[in-house]
Amino acid sequence: MFPKLISILLTFVQVIIALYILLQFFGANPTPFVNFLNSLSEPILKPFQGIFHPIVFNEHSLDLSAVFALIVYSIIGFGIQKILAILKIK
């Protein structure tokens, strides 16, 4: 049960960050959905803010700090899942 909960939480974090990256890249307007997503992603991304400068392609901006956060959270989640599998925690 615990490994499944970790997997669900990891997937939730990954989806939130991926949506944030996409909406920022395409310059989404501040609609209620975008504001809600930003409020969800803010505490998740806060430790990574300012690590990298965004890359700008014409009018599109890629937040490399958010991409880095996505990679770090994925590695941590994968590591926790592997440790739980080794310890055979259910």
Side-chain angles (χ1 to χ4, degrees), residues 2-14 17 48 68-86:
F2 191 62
K4 187 68 171 174
L5 183 62
I6 295 294
S7 177
I8 291 169
L9 181 62
L10 175 62
T11 302
F12 176 76
V13 168
Q14 289 171 326
I17 295 173
F48 301 94
F68 182 69
L70 180 61
I71 293 168
V72 169
Y73 283 122
S74 297
I75 291 170
I76 290 171
F78 179 76
I80 290 171
Q81 288 175 329
K82 289 300 174 186
I83 290 170
L84 293 177
I86 289 170

Side-chain angles (χ1 to χ4, degrees), residues 1-76:
M1 180 67 183
F2 191 62
K4 187 68 171 174
L5 183 62
I6 295 294
S7 177
I8 291 169
L9 181 62
L10 175 62
T11 302
F12 176 76
V13 168
Q14 289 171 326
V15 167
I16 294 298
I17 295 173
L19 286 173
Y20 172 84
I21 292 168
L22 286 173
L23 291 173
Q24 292 295 317
F25 182 76
F26 290 110
N29 293 322
T31 64
F33 173 74
V34 172
N35 291 337
F36 174 70
L37 184 70
N38 286 339
S39 69
L40 285 177
S41 64
E42 183 180 351
I44 297 169
L45 296 174
K46 192 151 191 91
F48 301 94
Q49 286 178 343
I51 292 178
F52 300 106
H53 295 289
I55 294 178
V56 179
F57 305 99
N58 297 329
E59 298 176 13
H60 304 288
S61 177
L62 179 61
D63 186 351
L64 290 180
S65 295
V67 173
F68 182 69
L70 180 61
I71 293 168
V72 169
Y73 283 122
S74 297
I75 291 170
I76 290 171

